[in-house]
Amino acid sequence: EVQLQASGGGLVQAGGSLRLSCTASGFSFDDSAIGWFRQAPGKEREGVSCIGTTDRSTYYRESVKGRFTISVDNAKNTVYLEMNNLRPEDTAVYHCAALGAYSSNPYYHSNLGCPITEYEYDYWGQGTLVTVSS
């Protein structure tokens, strides 16, 4: 059974930091890409960042570049999203998702980095709420 467990959300003041974790099981973690997506109240879900668990390719949406850092610990099957200088507009439920068999995905062989579009991802976990107060 595939499981993706996101954790680390909470309430923080603007300018503060949080580190989200996504721990995965039930699929070949070392041949995957892990993406972080978020959905704010009344808005559509959007991709935030992703990382290839083997090639370490990354991608960040423009609004989080320089503030968020994604990393992977293969020994723990865990991907982290370090979020610094948080803004109220970062408030959302954050979900992690897995793209399996990444080495067979066209993005793996491109120079584009990992994909941040929802339809590329096979498995989804429950989210963790991040609330940034002003």
Side-chain angles (χ1 to χ4, degrees):
E1 179 188 5
V2 174
Q3 290 190 337
L4 291 164
Q5 182 64 51
S7 61
L11 173 63
V12 65
Q13 289 187 330
S17 299
L18 284 173
R19 188 177 79 159
L20 305 184
S21 299
C22 175
T23 300
S25 62
F27 64 96
S28 180
F29 183 81
D30 291 340
D31 185 17
S32 70
I34 304 295
W36 283 99
F37 297 79
R38 66 186 181 187
Q39 187 165 22
K43 295 187 177 181
E44 292 187 354
R45 188 158 59 186
E46 62 184 18
V48 177
S49 182
C50 62
I51 188 166
T53 59
T54 297
D55 67 355
R56 300 296 202 266
S57 61
T58 59
Y59 182 86
Y60 298 91
R61 72 178 297 111
E62 194 63 34
S63 63
V64 308
K65 284 182 180 178
R67 300 189 298 125
F68 291 11
T69 303
I70 193 168
S71 62
V72 59
D73 185 335
N74 293 81
K76 296 181 178 180
N77 279 16
T78 299
V79 168
Y80 303 98
L81 186 68
E82 184 76 33
M83 305 186 297
N84 298 314
N85 192 20
L86 283 161
R87 304 167 180 169
E89 53 265 38
D90 295 317
T91 294
V93 175
Y94 284 70
H95 298 263
C96 60
L99 187 168
Y102 182 42
S103 59
S104 300
N105 188 287
Y107 277 87
Y108 184 83
H109 300 282
S110 73
N111 295 321
L112 300 175
C114 46
I116 203 62
T117 47
E118 293 185 45
Y119 63 81
E120 294 282 353
Y121 286 79
D122 306 300
Y123 312 113
W124 291 80
Q126 293 185 331
T128 184
L129 176 62
V130 172
T131 304
V132 185
S133 63
S134 57

